Amino acid sequence: MEKELTEDFWSHDKHLEAARKIHFKRLNGVTYLDHAGATLYSECQLTKLFQDLSTSVLGNPHSRSPSSTRSTEIVEEVRNRVLSHFNVSSDDYAVIFTGNCTAALKLLSESFIFRPDIDLDNECLLSKTVASTKSSQPAFVYLIDNHTSVVGIREVVKSRDVSFRHATEKDVDSFTSFPGGNRHEALGREDILPDTNNLFAFPAQSNFSGQRYPLSWIKKVQGHSGFASHEGNWCVLLDAASYLTTSTIDLKQYHPDFVTLSFYKIFGYPTGLGALLVRTSSAHFLKKNYFGGGTVEASLSTEDFHVKRNDLSHRFEDGTLPFLEILAVKHGFDSLLQVTGSLIRASAHAYDLARYVYSRLSSWHYANGRPLAVLYHNEKFTSCLTQGPIVNFNILNSDGNFIGFAIVEKLAQLYNIHFRTGCFCNMGACEQYLSLTAVQVKNNLKAGHVCGDDVDLVDGRPTGSIRISFGYCSTFGDVQRFLRFVSESFLEHNHIGELSANMANSGGEEENHMNTQVSLQLAPETWTVNDEVRSLVGIRIYLVKSCGGFALTEGEVGQRGLVNDRRWMIINSTGSCISQKREPKLCLIQPSIDKDQKWLTLSYPGFNDLRVDLQNGSHEGGSFQLCHGKVCGDRVVGSDCGEEAAEWLTAVLDKEDLRLVQQTADDERTTSHKSADDEMQPGKLSLANEGQYLLIGTESLRLLLSQMRMRFENGGHTDEDQCMSEEELIERFRPNLIVRTHKPFEEDNWTRLRIGAHTFVNEGLCTRCQMICISQKTGQRSKEPLISLFSLRGKKSTFGILLRRLDDSNAGLLSTGDFVSLVAEN
């Protein structure tokens, strides 16, 4: 049983709730749970920064003018502020500013001296005492639970004849359990090889699970000349990026040779700045090769001559520092203290929030006794010394099967909850916790799964997980909203009552939620069967992508789909197509076209209509990028529809630099889905996301409506307007073809079908996202129908099938009333 939340916890939570109303007003209605990815900047930091920038004249530090001198002073002030954060001074460590934590790691990998007899020049060699002529291959050892940016060091070191290996936590404990000589004492021993330097890297906190590794490893490894069966000097690289989100490290107590970090992990802004901290007594393990502006005392262009600066920081900081971003760091530290009052209290508070969520998720079960979630933690939140404010998990259904993280993320977006999914650039931890083998990872890659995509399950097994993480401005309200989302979306029994009670303890307003039992799914035996002949009962086109559509009684078929369907799009200044997911008001734009196809008309409530001359308009050819889903890869050749259209769109949508673009006839965009016949060539594609035609079945619609109404009647949602009509539901799914079917979702298994005189091939199911939760009449967002669709279908929440027409060289018509028949394949 978890410990109760203390009075001090609730006191600090009230303090943070008040601070959020002042410094994080943008969080109103948002539950942000990705502080391990990037914590949030406060408004007070930006206010003070912009005040400084608007009242100060700051010049390039590589000069002696008053403005430059002031910039130099700021840089040095911030260096000292950084060191103070770690309880040390410039006598102990040097601060080298870098682009981010990854840049600091790359700099170290390129500068670390593994072989003094090779990496150092002759002058340096004369000052070193070498006790043996033996040589040994140096090593780079990294904990398997490390960020990709640490693992990437191996690509640099192996080109320098340095061995590398990964190690588990047990390996490190085993390596350090045997006595070894101190690296400084080893220089005088003949059986030790002082001409070899080795590097061990581990994170202070796993960015995957939040596990905090023993900082006592630092001294043990540094004092162990035979660590990991490699002799010589051992240096320690500590990746502190994840740990510093809510905590700091006392470098007076622990003495890693190198520490890497990113400042946006600490206070959100700036994002393009990190640091490499180098222990002054370990500076001789680094050698600088490249030299840039500001890093030399003198140099010649006509001779091979340069003298590097003596100061370590100045020697490694090539070119002009981002001195304005460094100024932001000063205000970042100030705002951190202003918001939290105490980083120690903020750290404890974030840990308690994560512990509370861990306790709830690990104890919640379905009615049949099966667990709700699998949690990926070695440490069970017994101490903040061994566990940080991260909870990592996957959701199971009541049958014990995994629910893909992409589905969970889509549902969370309906609640405006932000977290991260995948492997978080930590494949080592992903392999360990998800029991993924190297063969499986490689096979998943061959199957098309790459880092960052939404392929969440392969053969029923997860390819990644869900991570929520808390930061210095997180409150119990975030916890309450997250757990409510999980309970309402996945559990048959709501657990909101206990959350409301705890919220009441905090002095917050108790929300009125009942412990109700909600059946998640209509049983298949209750599904109705329609004995009527299959036929085409509806045809719809959408002239402008993501804008309103309209019904037809007959539609002309073309090489890309229905003629004029999604032939136009609205792009922003970067050339990317905008959609309802980012701009819901698009649904209120109603396009129409005259029968002679000479004029395209756009209507919007409260504005005069826009008429675009399709024959004599001013069109400027160009190439624009079409963006759909998570991947913005397709390039579409289009023609611009002119300034009048651009001005109208800018006024209607209240966004600058919008353009209306028409896809050209010679654009070569094609479908990417594979049909059952893999030998078929891909078909030409309009500006639709995936397929030439999108077909939905009437019985599938009716079943989903029944599911939604049942959830409404049982308290599954509270907005009465979500209990929508069949027509409203059709509008949200935006199909081209609506077919009267015999039973729900039979269309999923169709391979080929004939509608009227035309034959189509099924290219796959249409996976739905939160866009179907936008009312096409008002542009308002709701949770339905995606929640009911998920509870009905699970997995990828698919609805409808993507079709491609065969023999697309032949023109013709589709008409409502056309018979639909299934075609047997040869």
PDB file of all heavy atoms in Angstrom, residues 39 41 45-46 49 97-100 262-274 322-333:
ATOM      1  N   THR A  39      10.767  20.070 -20.517  1.00  0.00           N
ATOM      2  CA  THR A  39       9.951  20.718 -19.502  1.00  0.00           C
ATOM      3  C   THR A  39       9.490  22.076 -20.020  1.00  0.00           C
ATOM      4  O   THR A  39       9.904  22.521 -21.098  1.00  0.00           O
ATOM      5  CB  THR A  39      10.711  20.845 -18.168  1.00  0.00           C
ATOM      6  OG1 THR A  39       9.781  21.059 -17.112  1.00  0.00           O
ATOM      7  CG2 THR A  39      11.714  21.981 -18.214  1.00  0.00           C
ATOM      8  N   TYR A  41       8.794  26.206 -20.083  1.00  0.00           N
ATOM      9  CA  TYR A  41       9.309  27.505 -19.637  1.00  0.00           C
ATOM     10  C   TYR A  41       8.181  28.288 -18.985  1.00  0.00           C
ATOM     11  O   TYR A  41       7.002  28.116 -19.302  1.00  0.00           O
ATOM     12  CB  TYR A  41       9.907  28.283 -20.804  1.00  0.00           C
ATOM     13  CG  TYR A  41       8.977  28.490 -21.961  1.00  0.00           C
ATOM     14  CD1 TYR A  41       8.038  29.517 -21.946  1.00  0.00           C
ATOM     15  CD2 TYR A  41       9.014  27.653 -23.072  1.00  0.00           C
ATOM     16  CE1 TYR A  41       7.176  29.709 -23.001  1.00  0.00           C
ATOM     17  CE2 TYR A  41       8.149  27.837 -24.132  1.00  0.00           C
ATOM     18  CZ  TYR A  41       7.232  28.863 -24.096  1.00  0.00           C
ATOM     19  OH  TYR A  41       6.366  29.044 -25.141  1.00  0.00           O
ATOM     20  N   GLN A  45      10.066  33.908 -16.897  1.00  0.00           N
ATOM     21  CA  GLN A  45      11.377  33.825 -17.525  1.00  0.00           C
ATOM     22  C   GLN A  45      11.408  34.632 -18.811  1.00  0.00           C
ATOM     23  O   GLN A  45      12.332  35.426 -19.040  1.00  0.00           O
ATOM     24  CB  GLN A  45      11.760  32.375 -17.830  1.00  0.00           C
ATOM     25  CG  GLN A  45      13.134  32.246 -18.503  1.00  0.00           C
ATOM     26  CD  GLN A  45      13.398  30.869 -19.092  1.00  0.00           C
ATOM     27  OE1 GLN A  45      12.507  30.019 -19.121  1.00  0.00           O
ATOM     28  NE2 GLN A  45      14.606  30.641 -19.549  1.00  0.00           N
ATOM     29  N   LEU A  46      10.387  34.454 -19.643  1.00  0.00           N
ATOM     30  CA  LEU A  46      10.352  35.167 -20.915  1.00  0.00           C
ATOM     31  C   LEU A  46      10.194  36.669 -20.703  1.00  0.00           C
ATOM     32  O   LEU A  46      10.823  37.474 -21.399  1.00  0.00           O
ATOM     33  CB  LEU A  46       9.205  34.637 -21.778  1.00  0.00           C
ATOM     34  CG  LEU A  46       9.261  33.164 -22.188  1.00  0.00           C
ATOM     35  CD1 LEU A  46       8.158  32.862 -23.192  1.00  0.00           C
ATOM     36  CD2 LEU A  46      10.618  32.795 -22.769  1.00  0.00           C
ATOM     37  N   LEU A  49      13.487  38.030 -19.593  1.00  0.00           N
ATOM     38  CA  LEU A  49      14.446  37.930 -20.687  1.00  0.00           C
ATOM     39  C   LEU A  49      14.183  39.027 -21.724  1.00  0.00           C
ATOM     40  O   LEU A  49      15.108  39.741 -22.134  1.00  0.00           O
ATOM     41  CB  LEU A  49      14.365  36.551 -21.338  1.00  0.00           C
ATOM     42  CG  LEU A  49      15.169  36.378 -22.631  1.00  0.00           C
ATOM     43  CD1 LEU A  49      16.657  36.582 -22.384  1.00  0.00           C
ATOM     44  CD2 LEU A  49      14.899  35.013 -23.254  1.00  0.00           C
ATOM     45  N   PHE A  97      29.996  25.492 -23.236  1.00  0.00           N
ATOM     46  CA  PHE A  97      28.670  25.588 -23.826  1.00  0.00           C
ATOM     47  C   PHE A  97      28.644  24.878 -25.178  1.00  0.00           C
ATOM     48  O   PHE A  97      29.573  25.007 -25.988  1.00  0.00           O
ATOM     49  CB  PHE A  97      28.254  27.051 -23.990  1.00  0.00           C
ATOM     50  CG  PHE A  97      27.917  27.725 -22.689  1.00  0.00           C
ATOM     51  CD1 PHE A  97      28.685  28.792 -22.228  1.00  0.00           C
ATOM     52  CD2 PHE A  97      26.849  27.301 -21.915  1.00  0.00           C
ATOM     53  CE1 PHE A  97      28.383  29.422 -21.029  1.00  0.00           C
ATOM     54  CE2 PHE A  97      26.535  27.916 -20.717  1.00  0.00           C
ATOM     55  CZ  PHE A  97      27.310  28.984 -20.265  1.00  0.00           C
ATOM     56  N   THR A  98      27.571  24.127 -25.412  1.00  0.00           N
ATOM     57  CA  THR A  98      27.396  23.384 -26.662  1.00  0.00           C
ATOM     58  C   THR A  98      25.970  23.609 -27.179  1.00  0.00           C
ATOM     59  O   THR A  98      25.164  24.282 -26.542  1.00  0.00           O
ATOM     60  CB  THR A  98      27.619  21.879 -26.441  1.00  0.00           C
ATOM     61  OG1 THR A  98      26.653  21.396 -25.490  1.00  0.00           O
ATOM     62  CG2 THR A  98      29.033  21.608 -25.926  1.00  0.00           C
ATOM     63  N   GLY A  99      25.674  23.027 -28.327  1.00  0.00           N
ATOM     64  CA  GLY A  99      24.342  23.193 -28.898  1.00  0.00           C
ATOM     65  C   GLY A  99      23.260  22.514 -28.087  1.00  0.00           C
ATOM     66  O   GLY A  99      22.137  22.994 -28.020  1.00  0.00           O
ATOM     67  N   ASN A 100      23.567  21.384 -27.478  1.00  0.00           N
ATOM     68  CA  ASN A 100      22.647  20.639 -26.631  1.00  0.00           C
ATOM     69  C   ASN A 100      23.424  19.504 -25.985  1.00  0.00           C
ATOM     70  O   ASN A 100      24.658  19.429 -26.127  1.00  0.00           O
ATOM     71  CB  ASN A 100      21.441  20.105 -27.425  1.00  0.00           C
ATOM     72  CG  ASN A 100      21.860  19.387 -28.689  1.00  0.00           C
ATOM     73  OD1 ASN A 100      22.931  18.786 -28.766  1.00  0.00           O
ATOM     74  ND2 ASN A 100      21.022  19.455 -29.712  1.00  0.00           N
ATOM     75  N   SER A 262      21.320  19.423 -21.166  1.00  0.00           N
ATOM     76  CA  SER A 262      20.610  20.408 -21.996  1.00  0.00           C
ATOM     77  C   SER A 262      19.799  21.297 -21.076  1.00  0.00           C
ATOM     78  O   SER A 262      19.135  20.807 -20.157  1.00  0.00           O
ATOM     79  CB  SER A 262      19.670  19.714 -22.992  1.00  0.00           C
ATOM     80  OG  SER A 262      20.364  19.173 -24.085  1.00  0.00           O
ATOM     81  N   PHE A 263      19.820  22.592 -21.313  1.00  0.00           N
ATOM     82  CA  PHE A 263      19.151  23.513 -20.396  1.00  0.00           C
ATOM     83  C   PHE A 263      17.631  23.480 -20.524  1.00  0.00           C
ATOM     84  O   PHE A 263      16.922  23.751 -19.554  1.00  0.00           O
ATOM     85  CB  PHE A 263      19.678  24.934 -20.614  1.00  0.00           C
ATOM     86  CG  PHE A 263      21.083  25.109 -20.121  1.00  0.00           C
ATOM     87  CD1 PHE A 263      22.137  25.170 -21.021  1.00  0.00           C
ATOM     88  CD2 PHE A 263      21.368  25.184 -18.769  1.00  0.00           C
ATOM     89  CE1 PHE A 263      23.450  25.314 -20.574  1.00  0.00           C
ATOM     90  CE2 PHE A 263      22.660  25.320 -18.315  1.00  0.00           C
ATOM     91  CZ  PHE A 263      23.714  25.390 -19.216  1.00  0.00           C
ATOM     92  N   TYR A 264      17.098  23.129 -21.704  1.00  0.00           N
ATOM     93  CA  TYR A 264      15.642  23.090 -21.831  1.00  0.00           C
ATOM     94  C   TYR A 264      15.043  21.972 -20.996  1.00  0.00           C
ATOM     95  O   TYR A 264      13.843  21.979 -20.692  1.00  0.00           O
ATOM     96  CB  TYR A 264      15.229  22.966 -23.298  1.00  0.00           C
ATOM     97  CG  TYR A 264      15.414  21.596 -23.907  1.00  0.00           C
ATOM     98  CD1 TYR A 264      14.368  20.680 -23.933  1.00  0.00           C
ATOM     99  CD2 TYR A 264      16.626  21.226 -24.488  1.00  0.00           C
ATOM    100  CE1 TYR A 264      14.526  19.437 -24.510  1.00  0.00           C
ATOM    101  CE2 TYR A 264      16.797  19.992 -25.064  1.00  0.00           C
ATOM    102  CZ  TYR A 264      15.751  19.094 -25.070  1.00  0.00           C
ATOM    103  OH  TYR A 264      15.918  17.851 -25.641  1.00  0.00           O
ATOM    104  N   LYS A 265      15.851  20.984 -20.622  1.00  0.00           N
ATOM    105  CA  LYS A 265      15.365  19.931 -19.729  1.00  0.00           C
ATOM    106  C   LYS A 265      15.171  20.461 -18.308  1.00  0.00           C
ATOM    107  O   LYS A 265      14.417  19.887 -17.527  1.00  0.00           O
ATOM    108  CB  LYS A 265      16.364  18.771 -19.692  1.00  0.00           C
ATOM    109  CG  LYS A 265      16.623  18.106 -21.020  1.00  0.00           C
ATOM    110  CD  LYS A 265      15.541  17.123 -21.382  1.00  0.00           C
ATOM    111  CE  LYS A 265      15.935  16.308 -22.617  1.00  0.00           C
ATOM    112  NZ  LYS A 265      14.934  15.309 -22.974  1.00  0.00           N
ATOM    113  N   ILE A 266      15.848  21.550 -17.968  1.00  0.00           N
ATOM    114  CA  ILE A 266      15.798  22.076 -16.602  1.00  0.00           C
ATOM    115  C   ILE A 266      14.670  23.086 -16.452  1.00  0.00           C
ATOM    116  O   ILE A 266      13.876  23.010 -15.511  1.00  0.00           O
ATOM    117  CB  ILE A 266      17.145  22.718 -16.222  1.00  0.00           C
ATOM    118  CG1 ILE A 266      18.296  21.722 -16.402  1.00  0.00           C
ATOM    119  CG2 ILE A 266      17.102  23.233 -14.785  1.00  0.00           C
ATOM    120  CD1 ILE A 266      19.667  22.318 -16.158  1.00  0.00           C
ATOM    121  N   PHE A 267      14.582  24.046 -17.409  1.00  0.00           N
ATOM    122  CA  PHE A 267      13.538  25.077 -17.287  1.00  0.00           C
ATOM    123  C   PHE A 267      12.896  25.448 -18.615  1.00  0.00           C
ATOM    124  O   PHE A 267      12.304  26.510 -18.739  1.00  0.00           O
ATOM    125  CB  PHE A 267      14.076  26.342 -16.591  1.00  0.00           C
ATOM    126  CG  PHE A 267      15.525  26.642 -16.849  1.00  0.00           C
ATOM    127  CD1 PHE A 267      15.967  27.043 -18.094  1.00  0.00           C
ATOM    128  CD2 PHE A 267      16.451  26.506 -15.834  1.00  0.00           C
ATOM    129  CE1 PHE A 267      17.301  27.311 -18.320  1.00  0.00           C
ATOM    130  CE2 PHE A 267      17.801  26.766 -16.047  1.00  0.00           C
ATOM    131  CZ  PHE A 267      18.218  27.178 -17.295  1.00  0.00           C
ATOM    132  N   GLY A 268      12.992  24.601 -19.610  1.00  0.00           N
ATOM    133  CA  GLY A 268      12.193  24.746 -20.821  1.00  0.00           C
ATOM    134  C   GLY A 268      12.774  25.584 -21.934  1.00  0.00           C
ATOM    135  O   GLY A 268      12.540  25.307 -23.103  1.00  0.00           O
ATOM    136  N   TYR A 269      13.508  26.623 -21.594  1.00  0.00           N
ATOM    137  CA  TYR A 269      14.038  27.537 -22.609  1.00  0.00           C
ATOM    138  C   TYR A 269      15.391  28.056 -22.149  1.00  0.00           C
ATOM    139  O   TYR A 269      15.549  28.324 -20.949  1.00  0.00           O
ATOM    140  CB  TYR A 269      13.072  28.721 -22.806  1.00  0.00           C
ATOM    141  CG  TYR A 269      13.478  29.675 -23.895  1.00  0.00           C
ATOM    142  CD1 TYR A 269      13.158  29.423 -25.220  1.00  0.00           C
ATOM    143  CD2 TYR A 269      14.206  30.829 -23.597  1.00  0.00           C
ATOM    144  CE1 TYR A 269      13.552  30.302 -26.221  1.00  0.00           C
ATOM    145  CE2 TYR A 269      14.602  31.708 -24.594  1.00  0.00           C
ATOM    146  CZ  TYR A 269      14.277  31.443 -25.896  1.00  0.00           C
ATOM    147  OH  TYR A 269      14.666  32.299 -26.889  1.00  0.00           O
ATOM    148  N   PRO A 270      16.380  28.146 -23.029  1.00  0.00           N
ATOM    149  CA  PRO A 270      16.354  27.949 -24.476  1.00  0.00           C
ATOM    150  C   PRO A 270      16.532  26.484 -24.857  1.00  0.00           C
ATOM    151  O   PRO A 270      17.083  25.692 -24.091  1.00  0.00           O
ATOM    152  CB  PRO A 270      17.547  28.784 -24.950  1.00  0.00           C
ATOM    153  CG  PRO A 270      18.524  28.675 -23.816  1.00  0.00           C
ATOM    154  CD  PRO A 270      17.694  28.646 -22.565  1.00  0.00           C
ATOM    155  N   THR A 271      16.082  26.145 -26.081  1.00  0.00           N
ATOM    156  CA  THR A 271      16.176  24.761 -26.528  1.00  0.00           C
ATOM    157  C   THR A 271      17.500  24.462 -27.227  1.00  0.00           C
ATOM    158  O   THR A 271      17.875  23.309 -27.334  1.00  0.00           O
ATOM    159  CB  THR A 271      15.026  24.437 -27.486  1.00  0.00           C
ATOM    160  OG1 THR A 271      15.019  25.392 -28.558  1.00  0.00           O
ATOM    161  CG2 THR A 271      13.696  24.489 -26.763  1.00  0.00           C
ATOM    162  N   GLY A 272      18.188  25.449 -27.735  1.00  0.00           N
ATOM    163  CA  GLY A 272      19.396  25.200 -28.525  1.00  0.00           C
ATOM    164  C   GLY A 272      20.681  25.402 -27.764  1.00  0.00           C
ATOM    165  O   GLY A 272      21.654  25.930 -28.315  1.00  0.00           O
ATOM    166  N   LEU A 273      20.683  24.992 -26.488  1.00  0.00           N
ATOM    167  CA  LEU A 273      21.877  25.230 -25.679  1.00  0.00           C
ATOM    168  C   LEU A 273      22.049  24.112 -24.663  1.00  0.00           C
ATOM    169  O   LEU A 273      21.113  23.733 -23.969  1.00  0.00           O
ATOM    170  CB  LEU A 273      21.759  26.577 -24.949  1.00  0.00           C
ATOM    171  CG  LEU A 273      23.023  27.076 -24.241  1.00  0.00           C
ATOM    172  CD1 LEU A 273      24.126  27.388 -25.246  1.00  0.00           C
ATOM    173  CD2 LEU A 273      22.702  28.312 -23.415  1.00  0.00           C
ATOM    174  N   GLY A 274      23.254  23.602 -24.594  1.00  0.00           N
ATOM    175  CA  GLY A 274      23.614  22.591 -23.611  1.00  0.00           C
ATOM    176  C   GLY A 274      24.993  22.879 -23.077  1.00  0.00           C
ATOM    177  O   GLY A 274      25.552  23.957 -23.306  1.00  0.00           O
ATOM    178  N   PRO A 322      26.235  31.484 -28.506  1.00  0.00           N
ATOM    179  CA  PRO A 322      24.854  32.006 -28.555  1.00  0.00           C
ATOM    180  C   PRO A 322      24.583  32.822 -27.294  1.00  0.00           C
ATOM    181  O   PRO A 322      23.865  32.395 -26.397  1.00  0.00           O
ATOM    182  CB  PRO A 322      24.004  30.735 -28.623  1.00  0.00           C
ATOM    183  CG  PRO A 322      24.820  29.694 -27.943  1.00  0.00           C
ATOM    184  CD  PRO A 322      26.256  30.029 -28.259  1.00  0.00           C
ATOM    185  N   PHE A 323      25.160  34.011 -27.241  1.00  0.00           N
ATOM    186  CA  PHE A 323      25.180  34.776 -25.988  1.00  0.00           C
ATOM    187  C   PHE A 323      23.799  35.237 -25.548  1.00  0.00           C
ATOM    188  O   PHE A 323      23.556  35.426 -24.352  1.00  0.00           O
ATOM    189  CB  PHE A 323      26.157  35.956 -26.091  1.00  0.00           C
ATOM    190  CG  PHE A 323      25.932  36.863 -27.258  1.00  0.00           C
ATOM    191  CD1 PHE A 323      25.164  38.004 -27.140  1.00  0.00           C
ATOM    192  CD2 PHE A 323      26.527  36.587 -28.488  1.00  0.00           C
ATOM    193  CE1 PHE A 323      24.972  38.854 -28.210  1.00  0.00           C
ATOM    194  CE2 PHE A 323      26.336  37.428 -29.579  1.00  0.00           C
ATOM    195  CZ  PHE A 323      25.560  38.571 -29.447  1.00  0.00           C
ATOM    196  N   LEU A 324      22.872  35.402 -26.496  1.00  0.00           N
ATOM    197  CA  LEU A 324      21.518  35.780 -26.106  1.00  0.00           C
ATOM    198  C   LEU A 324      20.788  34.598 -25.459  1.00  0.00           C
ATOM    199  O   LEU A 324      20.016  34.761 -24.510  1.00  0.00           O
ATOM    200  CB  LEU A 324      20.727  36.296 -27.303  1.00  0.00           C
ATOM    201  CG  LEU A 324      21.311  37.537 -27.994  1.00  0.00           C
ATOM    202  CD1 LEU A 324      20.408  37.982 -29.134  1.00  0.00           C
ATOM    203  CD2 LEU A 324      21.518  38.676 -27.001  1.00  0.00           C
ATOM    204  N   GLU A 325      21.026  33.395 -25.970  1.00  0.00           N
ATOM    205  CA  GLU A 325      20.454  32.203 -25.345  1.00  0.00           C
ATOM    206  C   GLU A 325      21.064  31.964 -23.969  1.00  0.00           C
ATOM    207  O   GLU A 325      20.389  31.512 -23.035  1.00  0.00           O
ATOM    208  CB  GLU A 325      20.672  30.978 -26.239  1.00  0.00           C
ATOM    209  CG  GLU A 325      19.762  30.900 -27.448  1.00  0.00           C
ATOM    210  CD  GLU A 325      20.167  31.863 -28.546  1.00  0.00           C
ATOM    211  OE1 GLU A 325      21.261  32.445 -28.461  1.00  0.00           O
ATOM    212  OE2 GLU A 325      19.377  32.039 -29.503  1.00  0.00           O
ATOM    213  N   ILE A 326      22.355  32.289 -23.839  1.00  0.00           N
ATOM    214  CA  ILE A 326      23.010  32.131 -22.542  1.00  0.00           C
ATOM    215  C   ILE A 326      22.398  33.100 -21.526  1.00  0.00           C
ATOM    216  O   ILE A 326      22.241  32.762 -20.342  1.00  0.00           O
ATOM    217  CB  ILE A 326      24.529  32.343 -22.691  1.00  0.00           C
ATOM    218  CG1 ILE A 326      25.128  31.174 -23.499  1.00  0.00           C
ATOM    219  CG2 ILE A 326      25.212  32.469 -21.338  1.00  0.00           C
ATOM    220  CD1 ILE A 326      26.585  31.338 -23.847  1.00  0.00           C
ATOM    221  N   LEU A 327      22.010  34.277 -21.985  1.00  0.00           N
ATOM    222  CA  LEU A 327      21.303  35.197 -21.102  1.00  0.00           C
ATOM    223  C   LEU A 327      19.989  34.578 -20.621  1.00  0.00           C
ATOM    224  O   LEU A 327      19.591  34.768 -19.466  1.00  0.00           O
ATOM    225  CB  LEU A 327      21.030  36.515 -21.840  1.00  0.00           C
ATOM    226  CG  LEU A 327      20.168  37.557 -21.105  1.00  0.00           C
ATOM    227  CD1 LEU A 327      20.821  37.980 -19.791  1.00  0.00           C
ATOM    228  CD2 LEU A 327      19.924  38.769 -21.998  1.00  0.00           C
ATOM    229  N   ALA A 328      19.329  33.829 -21.493  1.00  0.00           N
ATOM    230  CA  ALA A 328      18.072  33.175 -21.114  1.00  0.00           C
ATOM    231  C   ALA A 328      18.286  32.154 -20.007  1.00  0.00           C
ATOM    232  O   ALA A 328      17.384  31.909 -19.197  1.00  0.00           O
ATOM    233  CB  ALA A 328      17.439  32.510 -22.332  1.00  0.00           C
ATOM    234  N   VAL A 329      19.472  31.557 -19.958  1.00  0.00           N
ATOM    235  CA  VAL A 329      19.774  30.585 -18.899  1.00  0.00           C
ATOM    236  C   VAL A 329      19.753  31.264 -17.538  1.00  0.00           C
ATOM    237  O   VAL A 329      19.251  30.704 -16.553  1.00  0.00           O
ATOM    238  CB  VAL A 329      21.130  29.906 -19.168  1.00  0.00           C
ATOM    239  CG1 VAL A 329      21.567  29.063 -17.967  1.00  0.00           C
ATOM    240  CG2 VAL A 329      21.055  29.052 -20.424  1.00  0.00           C
ATOM    241  N   LYS A 330      20.294  32.469 -17.480  1.00  0.00           N
ATOM    242  CA  LYS A 330      20.280  33.208 -16.215  1.00  0.00           C
ATOM    243  C   LYS A 330      18.852  33.366 -15.699  1.00  0.00           C
ATOM    244  O   LYS A 330      18.547  33.083 -14.535  1.00  0.00           O
ATOM    245  CB  LYS A 330      20.921  34.588 -16.414  1.00  0.00           C
ATOM    246  CG  LYS A 330      20.758  35.541 -15.222  1.00  0.00           C
ATOM    247  CD  LYS A 330      21.289  36.930 -15.560  1.00  0.00           C
ATOM    248  CE  LYS A 330      21.100  37.904 -14.407  1.00  0.00           C
ATOM    249  NZ  LYS A 330      19.685  38.127 -14.073  1.00  0.00           N
ATOM    250  N   HIS A 331      17.963  33.800 -16.583  1.00  0.00           N
ATOM    251  CA  HIS A 331      16.575  34.000 -16.179  1.00  0.00           C
ATOM    252  C   HIS A 331      15.861  32.663 -15.962  1.00  0.00           C
ATOM    253  O   HIS A 331      14.869  32.606 -15.221  1.00  0.00           O
ATOM    254  CB  HIS A 331      15.849  34.845 -17.213  1.00  0.00           C
ATOM    255  CG  HIS A 331      16.372  36.247 -17.295  1.00  0.00           C
ATOM    256  ND1 HIS A 331      16.265  37.139 -16.247  1.00  0.00           N
ATOM    257  CD2 HIS A 331      17.023  36.909 -18.292  1.00  0.00           C
ATOM    258  CE1 HIS A 331      16.826  38.290 -16.594  1.00  0.00           C
ATOM    259  NE2 HIS A 331      17.286  38.175 -17.828  1.00  0.00           N
ATOM    260  N   GLY A 332      16.359  31.620 -16.605  1.00  0.00           N
ATOM    261  CA  GLY A 332      15.787  30.300 -16.367  1.00  0.00           C
ATOM    262  C   GLY A 332      16.006  29.845 -14.940  1.00  0.00           C
ATOM    263  O   GLY A 332      15.080  29.348 -14.279  1.00  0.00           O
ATOM    264  N   PHE A 333      17.220  30.000 -14.452  1.00  0.00           N
ATOM    265  CA  PHE A 333      17.501  29.627 -13.055  1.00  0.00           C
ATOM    266  C   PHE A 333      16.691  30.505 -12.088  1.00  0.00           C
ATOM    267  O   PHE A 333      16.161  30.010 -11.081  1.00  0.00           O
ATOM    268  CB  PHE A 333      18.994  29.758 -12.760  1.00  0.00           C
ATOM    269  CG  PHE A 333      19.820  28.622 -13.273  1.00  0.00           C
ATOM    270  CD1 PHE A 333      20.840  28.820 -14.196  1.00  0.00           C
ATOM    271  CD2 PHE A 333      19.600  27.331 -12.816  1.00  0.00           C
ATOM    272  CE1 PHE A 333      21.608  27.768 -14.654  1.00  0.00           C
ATOM    273  CE2 PHE A 333      20.368  26.265 -13.267  1.00  0.00           C
ATOM    274  CZ  PHE A 333      21.372  26.485 -14.194  1.00  0.00           C
TER     275      PHE A 333
END
